[in-house]
Amino acid sequence: MKIELAKSAGLCFGVKRAVDTVYDVLKEKKEGPVHTLGPIIHNEQVVQDLESKGVQVLHSIDELKEEKDAVVIIRSHGITKQMQDALEKKDISIVDATCPFVKKIHNIVHEKWNEGYEIIVVGSAKHPEVQGICGWCDNCCSVIETLEEAQKYTQKEPKKICIVAQTTFNYKKFEDIVDILLKKSYDILVMNTICNATEVRQTEAGTIARNSDAMIVIGGKHSSNTQKLYEICKKECLNTHFIQTLDDLDLNLFQSFRSVGITAGASTPNNIIKEVQSYVRHE
Ligand code: F3S
């Protein structure tokens, strides 16, 4: 049986880097507590594994007690400038695992805001990444998520506008929102800050599914990006199976196939993917 594992399966570069950072800190650290500001990844198994190794998840900086040799790790979503300043005032070590693509948005927003631009963030106001971005212009920005919101938007005072996007925002929708704003004849600087990790993962999954007799999609049942991967693969290959872990895999279903493809959602850790891959290979 030929098995093809998608190169882009599982964690994107930024999340993988953040998770690896926590394990590296644990390896090197002899004393003192290790905290992450929010869960480092949307995957319970990984968060539990880290908890069992002593990592505590903080939900706000206020939860941070006076502790000797404490380390606080910032996750890939990044944080606001106010939070960063508050952390720096504490007697702790900060390890910044903000994804460099998110950090780039912080820098653009901070710089353009200081140059007098008005800032518009295209994204979801509820998302921690967007909340972090807004904190780099003192929350003096507008967040636009829908076409209706773009249509309703009016500028309070005549200023140049800088538009950035949440890294995981849908590109087509971003373009449509920008088009609406451009038609209002404002002086606009558009920075396309969308990260293509999701698109690359989806395109590759579709290609592999098209060329395989069966396809395995690994990821959390509630993960919307894994669901989307499953839909893309199912369209290309009827024998597509959605599993959370190795336990859900019924290999009898695969025995008559010559080629099996494997991909995984954005929060699926590498060890689960490898486990599935080697199990299918050796059966
Ligand atoms: Fe991941 Fe960073 Fe892109 S966290 S989705 S690589 S912006």
Side-chain angles (χ1 to χ4, degrees):
M1 188 194 283
K2 182 180 154 245
I3 295 160
E4 187 172 5
L5 170 65
K7 286 190 202 74
S8 56
L11 310 191
C12 65
F13 150 80
V15 174
K16 182 175 182 310
R17 178 174 170 271
V19 172
D20 288 349
T21 301
V22 185
Y23 282 103
D24 289 348
V25 167
L26 281 175
K27 226 184 280 163
E28 280 158 27
K29 199 157 165 44
K30 305 270 175 300
E31 276 169 54
V34 177
H35 302 287
T36 61
L37 207 44
I40 199 77
I41 176 176
H42 290 296
N43 179 289
E44 271 174 42
Q45 285 146 307
V46 177
V47 174
Q48 273 168 14
D49 181 56
L50 288 170
E51 262 170 14
S52 74
K53 294 180 164 66
V55 176
Q56 294 155 346
V57 177
L58 297 178
H59 298 284
S60 83
I61 295 177
D62 301 335
E63 288 174 28
L64 201 59
K65 299 183 214 88
E66 291 279 318
E67 292 166 312
K68 204 171 166 277
D69 297 324
V71 170
V72 174
I73 302 167
I74 301 171
R75 59 185 177 168
S76 59
H77 291 320
I79 56 172
T80 64
K81 183 167 189 315
Q82 296 83 335
M83 285 167 91
Q84 174 108 17
D85 293 345
L87 280 179
E88 279 167 9
K89 281 195 194 113
K90 304 222 176 231
D91 186 18
I92 51 163
S93 307
I94 305 166
V95 177
D96 189 356
T98 306
C99 175
F101 300 134
V102 177
K103 198 68 225 163
K104 188 176 137 204
I105 307 178
H106 293 176
N107 294 340
I108 294 171
V109 166
H110 195 55
E111 191 187 307
K112 292 297 164 196
W113 181 63
N114 279 328
E115 285 174 19
Y117 279 74
E118 180 171 332
I119 307 291
I120 295 182
V121 184
V122 176
S124 161
K126 281 187 241 130
H127 195 283
E129 178 194 314
V130 172
Q131 290 165 351
I133 294 169
C134 295
W136 289 83
C137 57
D138 217 5
N139 292 309
C140 297
C141 54
S142 306
V143 179
I144 296 183
E145 187 178 9
T146 63
L147 304 184
E148 296 73 48
E149 284 167 5
Q151 259 134 13
K152 275 191 211 142
Y153 173 82
T154 48
Q155 207 176 22
K156 287 175 209 88
E157 36 174 334
K159 269 184 177 184
K160 287 192 215 167
I161 298 175
C162 172
I163 305 181
V164 295
Q166 181 181 339
T167 54
T168 48
F169 203 76
N170 176 285
Y171 181 64
K172 173 79 182 67
K173 206 166 154 197
F174 176 67
E175 266 188 334
D176 292 346
I177 288 175
V178 168
D179 274 349
I180 294 172
L181 296 171
L182 283 171
K183 283 201 186 101
K184 293 181 188 262
S185 309
Y186 296 134
D187 186 356
I188 292 179
L189 171 69
V190 182
M191 305 296 253
N192 174 9
T193 51
I194 294 173
C195 164
N196 68 358
T198 311
E199 197 191 319
V200 168
R201 190 184 302 108
Q202 291 176 353
T203 310
E204 194 190 12
T207 310
I208 294 178
R210 197 173 314 130
N211 298 319
S212 303
D213 296 333
M215 187 77 193
I216 300 171
V217 180
I218 317 164
K221 278 275 179 276
H222 303 293
S223 148
S224 59
N225 80 82
T226 314
Q227 187 67 44
K228 180 89 189 146
L229 273 184
Y230 172 73
E231 283 160 20
I232 291 169
C233 294
K234 186 85 180 172
K235 229 185 245 169
E236 303 290 347
C237 172
L238 272 180
N239 295 308
T240 295
H241 299 267
F242 190 148
I243 63 166
Q244 295 209 79
T245 64
L246 194 54
D247 299 339
D248 305 326
L249 192 63
D250 178 1
L251 264 191
N252 294 325
L253 295 172
F254 294 89
Q255 244 134 37
S256 58
F257 297 126
R258 277 171 305 138
S259 57
V260 175
I262 302 174
T263 190
S267 316
T268 311
N270 236 350
N271 60 327
I272 297 185
I273 303 172
K274 290 277 172 234
E275 231 175 57
V276 171
Q277 187 193 19
S278 70
Y279 187 66
V280 178
R281 180 174 289 145
H282 293 114
E283 277 304 300

